[in-house]
Amino acid sequence: MKKSLFVFILLHFMIKVLAQQTFSCRVIGVDKAYGYIPNSDDYIPNENTPIKTIRVNIIFVLHKPDNPDYPGNFTKYDDGNGDPNFTGYDYAELLIKTANNRLAHNTQMALPPGNNTPVLKRKYRYYLNGVFFYENEK
């Protein structure tokens, strides 16, 4: 027990030290900043940056069958209120489609006068990997 606790504390300390040395950066004009990221321009997406895909699983948690509010959420067959025209699968697809649309149409932030921060293209998209329905048994 003492040995595993010691190893855990040692690993935790090493990760903190490594993270401070590896991921620190230098911000011009700020005295409190330190460190340096070489080739920091490589982190700014451009036309050569490939679009990355983030796989998403959506899980709908349903009430217990004996609960008066059952199912209480979208199901495989309806919207949880008995309408079979809009299922949990439809809602999950709409959610991912809306999120990808917002990623694709990035807009300018509300910036104070004189701030010229550019609008960068977001180089990632969501992919609906699976939709699951989980009945709460507890």
Side-chain angles (χ1 to χ4, degrees):
M1 175 68 177
K2 288 182 180 181
K3 185 176 180 180
S4 62
L5 182 61
F6 174 74
V7 170
F8 174 76
I9 292 171
L10 181 63
L11 284 174
H12 180 71
F13 177 73
M14 288 173 54
I15 289 170
K16 286 181 90 170
V17 169
L18 181 64
Q20 289 175 354
Q21 291 177 355
T22 305
F23 301 111
S24 60
C25 64
R26 179 175 55 108
V27 179
I28 297 171
V30 178
D31 295 330
K32 291 184 180 181
Y34 58 93
Y36 179 69
I37 298 176
N39 304 323
S40 60
D41 290 340
D42 292 343
Y43 294 94
I44 300 173
N46 58 33
E47 63 277 349
N48 298 324
T49 305
I51 294 179
K52 298 196 174 30
T53 302
I54 299 172
R55 294 171 162 247
V56 177
N57 291 323
I58 296 179
I59 302 170
F60 293 101
V61 179
L62 310 175
H63 289 294
K64 287 198 258 184
D66 60 350
N67 188 316
D69 293 330
Y70 179 80
N73 209 337
F74 289 98
T75 68
K76 297 178 185 180
Y77 311 107
D78 64 10
D79 66 349
N81 295 319
D83 181 8
N85 296 322
F86 195 72
T87 66
Y89 297 113
D90 297 325
Y91 181 73
E93 288 176 8
L94 179 64
L95 188 66
I96 296 298
K97 183 179 176 182
T98 302
N100 281 332
N101 188 34
R102 289 184 179 180
L103 287 173
H105 299 96
N106 194 11
T107 58
Q108 181 70 39
M109 299 178 289
L111 299 171
N115 189 329
N116 300 345
T117 303
V119 177
L120 300 175
K121 291 188 177 188
R122 295 182 178 164
K123 295 293 189 162
Y124 58 94
R125 298 292 180 269
Y126 299 113
Y127 172 77
L128 184 59
N129 192 50
V131 179
F132 302 95
F133 302 90
Y134 173 76
E135 287 196 8
N136 189 357
E137 300 293 327
K138 295 180 181 180

